[in-house]
Every structure is written in structure tokens, then in C-alpha cells.
Amino acid sequence: MKAVAIPAAGAPRGWLVDLVLLGALWGASFLFMRIGAAEFGALPAAAVRVAIAAVFLLPLLLVRGHGPTLAKHWKATMLVGVVSSGIPFALFCFALLTITSGLAAVVNATVPMFGALVAWAWFKDRPNGSRLLGLVIGFTGVAMLASRSAGGAGLHANADGNAALWAVLACLGACVSYGISASATRRYLGGIPPLATATGSQIGATLFLALPALWLWPAQMPSLQAWLALIALGVASTGIAYILFFRLIENAGPARALTVTFLVPVFAVFYGVVFLGEHVTQWMLICAAVIVCGVALSTGLVNLGRRRSTG
């Protein structure tokens, strides 16, 4: 797949800067979603996010000359956008009405595991023993996190345990959706410039969420803070983040780009503590460590397989 032609960073390891910046932007998305969804509601907040991202990306697409490509593949890109953006963004906004941004980001770290499961089912990419162990460890971490969340850990004030379980399930549903979209992109959008895929997906997600968002639009106009949060979410954490991700794949390769998964929860927890006064419990940190270990094994970043013989 041809990457977006954006000048690479000058230093030999300049991709590290892109990696950290991408983790910071995607980590901030949970902060912005929580602020925006609190006043807009889940579906309107998700719809505004993708609409702003589409408006931001479309001129870039046209400047790059990828308009004809998008016109040719508009059905596939827009349908993938429903699964890659529309559904998961709405589910995360719903979850963040109940649980903290840090907790949602920790669950989001399971995306590569669901991606591996979907690829196994769709493309028969059977994981080896080390990766299977990682899946078991990762989902054990999620179960540990969900069980304690039902007892009140990682919840907003006045939220109960049942709401927490629904919120965690919504996050897991979003992760499944991301996993499906990765395989769908591989199956139907191979060879299409990533900027065309990104733009078409945001347009498709906007159309998918438009009517539900209008139906559920808040009666009272949201505050300037909520609007600014969604503008930052659409431009920085969606539009610019897409471009950074494509450049990261081009300069560092897919395997290194995947390691951003480990940075997103770190930044999300940091933002939640500093800007929202969220509390991080020891149990959340333990569960996060278990999930990260599972992700590292299930994605092949760490392999417990055969060792090289010496001598």
C-alpha cells in the first residue's frame, strides 16, 4: 500500500518523534471524547468528530490528487469507515459517559488482539503458540479490569457497577469493530492511497451517524469548551493522527507503528489525571500491565518460541 507522500523526519530515527506524537494525539482523544460527550451525548459527539475530520482531510486529498481514486472506491471506503470510525467512536463516547478516560484507553489497548482474532477467522492467519498465549493473557487482563470496574473502580461520580459493565462492553465492542475494519481494509482497500481511505472512511462515518445525531442533538447548545474539545478531536486526534500514522508506517514499518498501542494508555491516563482529576488505582495499573503483556505476545512483538542455538 502506497503511503501518503509527506516528507520524512530528517534524523535516522525520526520516526520515534512521530511515534510519541501519535501516542500523545490518540491518548488525548479519550480526554476530548469525555469532555465532548458529556454535553453533546454519545452519538452527536461521535458525528461531530468524524464530520470535522472529513472536512479537514478532504482538501488534503484533493491537493494530493487522490480525488479520482476516492470517486472510484467510494463505496468500499465509506463502508469501511462505518466499522473503523462510526461505530467505535460512538461506542467509546457512550462508555466515557460512565468510566474514566484512562480505563477506556486501557481497554482500547486490546485492539491488536481482536485484530489477530479477526484475521485468524477471516484469512486463516492462525497464531502460533506464543501468540495464542498472549490472547489468553490479554483477555484475562480485561476480565480482571471489568470485574473490579463493576465494584466502582474507574467510574465517574454517581455511576454504578452495572453501568460500568455496559461501558466496558461498549469499549470491547469498539475494539472488535477496529479489528474487523483492519481485515476489511486489507481485503477490500489494498493498493488504495491511505489518504483516500482515511478521507472516504470519515465521510462514510459522517453519513452513517448524521441522522441519529440530529435526532439526539442536545436541546441546550453545548458550551464553547465542548465545541473546542470536538474540534481538537476531529482535527488533531483524527485528521492529523491519520497522516502521522501513515507516515510512521512508511518510515518505520507496520511492526514498529503497532507499538503506539503501548503509548496511548500512558498518555490517556496522564491527561485524565492532570486535566480531569481522575484517579488511577493500583488495580488498573496491574490490569494494564497484564493487557500490555498479552498484546505484546499476541501481536508477535514478543515471541516465546524457539531460541537461536549458540555454539
Side-chain angles (χ1 to χ4, degrees):
M1 188 184 299
K2 184 178 179 182
V4 182
I6 299 174
R13 291 189 176 273
W15 60 269
L16 286 171
V17 177
D18 285 348
L19 182 72
V20 174
L21 183 56
L22 181 60
L25 289 175
W26 275 347
S29 68
F30 293 91
L31 167 69
F32 296 140
M33 279 192 288
R34 181 180 165 187
I35 295 173
E39 296 191 35
F40 277 87
L43 285 173
V48 172
R49 172 183 184 174
V50 293
I52 291 173
V55 171
F56 174 78
L57 289 168
L58 187 57
L60 297 177
L61 173 88
L62 298 177
V63 169
R64 297 289 180 183
H66 295 316
T69 302
L70 178 58
K72 181 179 179 181
H73 300 282
W74 66 272
K75 288 184 180 179
T77 57
M78 290 186 183
L79 285 174
V80 168
V82 172
V83 184
S84 68
S85 298
I87 293 174
F89 290 175
L91 288 174
F92 270 122
C93 284
F94 167 78
L96 286 165
L97 295 173
T98 302
I99 62 177
T100 63
S101 57
L103 178 55
V106 169
V107 179
N108 181 68
T110 62
V111 168
M113 295 193 303
F114 284 107
L117 283 175
V118 173
W120 183 6
W122 196 332
F123 298 104
K124 309 305 178 184
D125 291 343
R126 188 180 186 279
N128 58 25
S130 178
R131 297 180 70 178
L132 284 173
L133 176 62
L135 291 171
V136 173
I137 292 174
F139 287 120
T140 298
V142 173
M144 292 165 57
L145 192 64
S147 65
R148 187 59 65 90
S149 296
L155 301 186
H156 299 335
N158 302 322
D160 59 31
N162 289 331
L165 285 176
W166 282 110
V168 172
L169 287 175
C171 290
L172 291 174
C175 295
V176 172
S177 190
Y178 283 139
I180 293 173
S181 70
S183 288
T185 299
R186 173 182 170 185
R187 173 65 177 83
Y188 299 110
L189 301 179
I192 299 176
L195 186 55
T197 301
T199 306
S201 67
Q202 297 310 297
I203 294 174
T206 301
L207 296 175
F208 172 72
L209 293 172
L211 288 179
L214 289 174
W215 180 262
L216 297 172
W217 195 261
Q220 183 177 354
M221 178 61 66
S223 67
L224 177 62
Q225 181 187 34
W227 276 105
L228 291 176
L230 292 187
I231 291 172
L233 181 63
V235 174
S237 296
T238 309
I240 294 176
Y242 264 117
I243 297 174
L244 278 174
F245 186 58
F246 299 146
R247 185 166 75 178
L248 188 60
I249 292 175
E250 179 183 24
N251 294 339
R256 284 175 172 169
L258 188 64
T259 59
V260 73
T261 302
F262 303 122
L263 293 178
V264 172
V266 176
F267 280 104
V269 169
F270 173 77
Y271 295 141
V273 170
V274 173
F275 297 107
L276 298 175
E278 295 180 348
H279 298 287
V280 181
T281 65
Q282 184 179 14
W283 185 252
M284 283 178 59
L285 295 176
I286 293 173
C287 294
V290 173
I291 290 172
V292 166
C293 289
V295 171
L297 287 169
S298 64
T299 58
L301 292 174
V302 174
N303 195 338
L304 299 180
R306 293 172 299 179
R307 297 180 179 178
R308 293 182 179 179
S309 58
T310 58

